[in-house]
């Protein structure tokens, strides 16, 4: 009796196990079928824009520096004691104005002596000429007297030239900086007196990559800003270096700007905006719409409800958009979000946004 019970129990367990296994297999099949159905029917939800032409100005953002229109370090041509200082530090002076006068007493004494010798030589030359006319002396003797007279005159010119060097004049109008000497100082031609700077105009110096060097022309206006100044300034290009710098592969450019109010201080850095070109109907797309690939960049475009890959070429950019120069046309719908997860031919549900 017990043997029959055991067989019965074993049979029941086998039947129950078979039923459980069957149900599990059926549930897995149903789940897979549902998942497959959902994968086929679900579309990727993305955002997009319709490309249309709009004005676009391409430019380069560069760094430069402000330089004075003219700048020199004032020095004396001769050595001596400073007798007069005719300028105040930080003030404006006129071109030709005497700034420093050096003691010239010794040179004036030499000039007086030379004038006396010149008078004597002139008298001797006059007498020799009269004697020559009377044939009382030879031509050679007259020539010696005449040469002495011309030598005396030359000596006066030399001393007068030295006297003019005792006055240090401003070569141009400008602002004098801090002086390094005082009245009574002994100075030499190597002694710095002060700096003289012409700041009515300032030079803007910057370098442009060689790729764009051919676009630099004299007369082009560039905009620039400096720190702690809200205003935007304009400078006009007037000169460039004749060759590209071999080390930096850039071309050095200079422009000039008005500075009558002395707002721009030489030596400060400047942020320069160099214009490249203006496109009347440029096609701009958001930066996030671009997908970098090995051979360049691509976009996804909506065609017949599917996402299609388009290889594109780019140009300039703004803070948020990129100019597309090749690959798309006006009126194309550009997919702008979720593009990293898209594949060629993916079905998409697109919500259009305004540009």
């Amino acid at each position: 009796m017990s043997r029959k019970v055991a067989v019965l129990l074993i049979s029941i367990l086998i039947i129950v196990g078979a039923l459980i296994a069957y149900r599990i297999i059926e549930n897995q099949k149903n789940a897979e079928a549902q998942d497959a159905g959902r994968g086929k029917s679900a579309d990727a939800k993305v955002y997009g824009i319709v490309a249309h032409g709009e004005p676009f100005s391409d430019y380069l953002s560069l760094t430069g520096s402000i330089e004075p229109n003219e700048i020199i370090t004032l020095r004396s041509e001769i050595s001596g004691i400073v007798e007069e200082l005719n300028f105040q530090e930080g003030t404006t002076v006129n071109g030709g104005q005497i700034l420093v006068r050096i003691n010239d007493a010794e040179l004036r004494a030499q000039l007086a002596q030379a004038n006396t010798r010149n008078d004597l030589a002139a008298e001797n030359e006059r007498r020799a000429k009269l004697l020559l006319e009377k044939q009382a002396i030879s031509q050679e003797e007259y020539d010696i007297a005449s040469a002495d007279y011309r030598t005396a005159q030359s000596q006066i010119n030399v001393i007068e030239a030295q006297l003019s060097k005792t006055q240090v004049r401003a070569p141009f109008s400008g602002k004098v900086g801090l002086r390094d000497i005082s009245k009574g100082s002994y100075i030499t031609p190597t002694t710095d007196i002060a700096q003289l700077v012409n700041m009515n105009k300032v030079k803007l110096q910057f370098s442009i990559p060689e790729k764009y060097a051919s676009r630099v022309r004299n007369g082009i206006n560039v905009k620039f800003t400096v720190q702690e100044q809200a205003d935007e300034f304009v400078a006009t290009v007037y000169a460039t270096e004749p060759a590209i710098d071999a080390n930096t592969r850039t071309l050095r450019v200079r422009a000039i700007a008005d500075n009558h109010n002395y707002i721009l201080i030489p030596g400060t850095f400047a942020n320069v905006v160099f214009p490249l070109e203006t496109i009347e109907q440029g096609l701009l797309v958001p930066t996030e719409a671009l997908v970098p690939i090995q051979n360049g960049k691509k976009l996804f475009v909506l065609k017949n409800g599917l996402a299609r890959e388009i290889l594109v070429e780019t140009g300039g950019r703004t803070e948020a958009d990129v100019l597309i120069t090749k690959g798309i046309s006006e009126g194309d719908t550009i997919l702008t979000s979720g593009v990293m997860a898209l594949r060629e031919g993916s079905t998409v549900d697109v919500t259009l946004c305004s540009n």
Side-chain angles (χ1 to χ4, degrees), residues 19 36 95 103 118 126 138-139 146 174 250 259 308 310 334 349:
L19 291 173
N103 186 286
N118 181 67
R126 186 186 69 79
S138 64
Q139 180 68 39
S146 178
T250 58
N259 189 35
R308 297 299 184 185
I310 302 292
I334 312 300
D349 180 10

Side-chain angles (χ1 to χ4, degrees), residues 6-26:
V7 171
L8 180 61
L9 290 174
I10 292 172
S11 299
I12 293 173
L13 288 174
I14 291 173
I15 293 172
V16 171
L19 291 173
I20 293 173
Y22 174 79
R23 178 53 57 189
I24 291 173
I25 293 172
E26 286 297 316

Side-chain angles (χ1 to χ4, degrees), residues 258-311:
D258 289 328
N259 189 35
H260 295 299
N261 49 10
Y262 295 162
I263 289 179
L264 299 171
I265 302 175
T268 56
F269 284 102
N271 297 313
V272 184
V273 176
F274 185 87
L276 293 177
E277 59 182 342
T278 298
I279 301 174
E280 294 299 328
Q281 294 294 319
L283 297 176
L284 300 175
V285 301
T287 305
E288 61 268 21
L290 285 173
V291 179
I293 57 176
Q294 184 176 1
N295 298 326
K297 299 180 180 68
K298 69 179 181 180
L299 291 172
F300 282 97
V301 177
L302 178 66
K303 290 188 177 180
N304 300 322
L306 302 177
R308 297 299 184 185
E309 294 181 356
I310 302 292
L311 293 178

Side-chain angles (χ1 to χ4, degrees), residues 116-174:
T116 300
R117 290 176 180 173
N118 181 67
D119 292 343
L120 179 59
E123 182 61 21
N124 289 338
E125 190 272 341
R126 186 186 69 79
R127 292 173 181 174
K129 186 176 182 179
L130 292 175
L131 292 175
L132 179 63
E133 291 173 353
K134 295 178 181 180
Q135 298 183 347
I137 60 174
S138 64
Q139 180 68 39
E140 182 181 0
E141 290 175 310
Y142 171 75
D143 290 343
I144 293 173
S146 178
D148 289 342
Y149 174 52
R150 293 195 298 273
T151 300
Q153 287 181 317
S154 298
Q155 188 63 31
I156 290 175
N157 293 336
V158 170
I159 296 174
E160 287 178 343
Q162 289 293 102
L163 276 171
S164 68
K165 294 179 181 180
T166 62
Q167 299 175 349
V168 179
R169 296 177 179 268
F172 52 80
S173 298

Side-chain angles (χ1 to χ4, degrees), residues 58-71:
D58 199 5
Y59 61 88
L60 289 177
S61 294
L62 308 168
T63 57
S65 61
I66 304 297
E67 298 181 351
N69 186 33
E70 302 290 348
I71 181 172

Side-chain angles (χ1 to χ4, degrees), residues 51-238:
H52 62 83
E54 57 184 286
F56 174 76
S57 296
D58 199 5
Y59 61 88
L60 289 177
S61 294
L62 308 168
T63 57
S65 61
I66 304 297
E67 298 181 351
N69 186 33
E70 302 290 348
I71 181 172
I72 62 164
T73 299
L74 295 169
R75 293 190 179 98
S76 171
E77 294 186 71
I78 62 172
S79 301
I81 302 295
V82 175
E83 197 169 70
E84 294 180 12
L85 285 172
N86 299 321
F87 68 91
Q88 296 291 327
E89 295 172 298
T91 59
T92 300
V93 297
N94 297 319
Q97 179 179 333
I98 298 175
L99 305 179
V100 178
R101 193 187 299 274
I102 297 173
N103 186 286
D104 59 0
E106 183 176 351
L107 287 173
R108 291 195 177 278
Q110 293 177 10
L111 180 61
Q113 187 180 42
N115 282 327
T116 300
R117 290 176 180 173
N118 181 67
D119 292 343
L120 179 59
E123 182 61 21
N124 289 338
E125 190 272 341
R126 186 186 69 79
R127 292 173 181 174
K129 186 176 182 179
L130 292 175
L131 292 175
L132 179 63
E133 291 173 353
K134 295 178 181 180
Q135 298 183 347
I137 60 174
S138 64
Q139 180 68 39
E140 182 181 0
E141 290 175 310
Y142 171 75
D143 290 343
I144 293 173
S146 178
D148 289 342
Y149 174 52
R150 293 195 298 273
T151 300
Q153 287 181 317
S154 298
Q155 188 63 31
I156 290 175
N157 293 336
V158 170
I159 296 174
E160 287 178 343
Q162 289 293 102
L163 276 171
S164 68
K165 294 179 181 180
T166 62
Q167 299 175 349
V168 179
R169 296 177 179 268
F172 52 80
S173 298
K175 191 174 183 179
V176 182
L178 306 179
R179 58 182 171 88
D180 297 319
I181 63 170
S182 300
K183 184 177 180 179
S185 299
Y186 180 82
I187 63 174
T188 68
T190 62
T191 303
D192 293 345
I193 298 173
Q195 279 195 333
L196 177 63
V197 181
N198 183 307
M199 294 173 54
N200 289 333
K201 292 181 180 291
V202 292
K203 296 173 182 175
L204 174 66
Q205 181 167 291
F206 59 94
S207 294
I208 192 168
E210 65 176 330
K211 176 182 178 180
Y212 305 101
S214 61
R215 304 194 186 190
V216 181
R217 296 284 186 276
N218 287 352
I220 292 178
N221 289 332
V222 297
K223 297 180 180 179
F224 66 98
T225 58
V226 294
Q227 290 184 348
E228 298 185 359
Q229 291 292 336
D231 295 335
E232 189 174 58
F233 304 93
V234 178
T236 303
V237 173
Y238 73 92

